[in-house]
Amino acid sequence: MKWVRTIWLIASLCIGVFGSVHEYTEGSVLRPIELVDQFDEHVVITDFSKIAIVVFDREASDVVNTFLQTQSPEYLAKHGAFLIADISEMPGFVAQAFALPKMRKYPYRVLLIKDEEQGMLFPGEEHKITIMYINHNKIKKISYITTANELKAILDVN
């Protein structure tokens, strides 16, 4: 098992030196993504909207969901946006018993990342909401926000 620690150390050092290992960066062209929603319905995204909202932790998710619950169910679609929540690090029992039942009450679709490797493709910062601006399947800009007011301002422009 000593070799596993050695590989992990080398990988960690490479990430520290070369930055995080995210496939999706500004200028990237998005390939089709297959996810499931909160109802376990398979969704393949091939033609991306203008805005991808990605959350990785509870704090960011709470900000987005609290805001969206005050909007109409069509709000995201009307603004060319979609929501992705990375739940890959959430214990399966917690997801099944608590998170998914709560999400099923939302009047909007939440696409779920359940695979850690897939989650690593998306850029993120702790306790922040990732906003990916997309045009013709190409990421034009990535920004990180923390408040509902910032989210509203971004979506209302689009």
Side-chain angles (χ1 to χ4, degrees):
M1 285 300 183
K2 194 173 187 179
W3 62 272
V4 171
R5 280 185 248 168
T6 303
I7 291 172
W8 179 252
L9 178 63
I10 291 169
S12 298
L13 289 172
C14 288
I15 290 171
V17 171
F18 299 111
S20 55
V21 185
H22 299 295
E23 181 173 320
Y24 303 136
T25 59
E26 289 182 10
S28 295
V29 175
L30 296 172
R31 299 183 322 259
I33 298 172
E34 185 174 344
L35 298 169
V36 295
D37 67 9
Q38 70 265 43
F39 301 103
D40 211 29
E41 182 179 317
H42 287 273
V43 177
V44 179
I45 306 170
T46 56
D47 184 22
F48 293 88
S49 303
K50 294 186 251 179
I51 303 282
I53 303 163
V54 188
V55 293
F56 294 93
D57 55 46
R58 185 175 182 155
E59 292 83 357
S61 181
D62 286 347
V63 170
V64 171
N65 291 313
T66 299
F67 170 72
L68 289 176
Q69 288 180 22
T70 65
Q71 307 302 317
S72 72
E74 303 83 27
Y75 185 81
L76 288 174
K78 192 163 85 173
H79 290 85
F82 59 97
L83 174 60
I84 299 175
D86 183 347
I87 62 168
S88 64
E89 293 188 16
M90 186 181 295
F93 171 76
V94 173
Q96 292 298 324
F98 302 104
L100 290 172
K102 181 178 179 181
M103 288 181 199
R104 289 181 183 123
K105 294 178 183 176
Y106 298 158
Y108 48 88
R109 176 177 266 174
V110 181
L111 301 175
L112 303 173
I113 298 171
K114 293 185 174 183
D115 177 73
E116 190 174 336
E117 287 182 30
Q118 189 174 35
M120 291 176 64
L121 297 174
F122 293 87
E125 291 183 5
E126 190 172 359
H127 308 306
K128 293 190 178 182
I129 302 159
T130 300
I131 304 294
M132 297 169 50
Y133 300 85
I134 305 165
N135 187 5
H136 299 296
N137 292 359
K138 186 174 183 179
I139 300 172
K140 296 296 183 185
K141 179 181 172 188
I142 298 172
S143 62
Y144 304 95
I145 62 172
T146 56
T147 69
N149 287 338
E150 291 171 302
L151 181 59
K152 180 174 177 26
I154 288 166
L155 293 173
D156 285 349
V157 168
N158 292 297

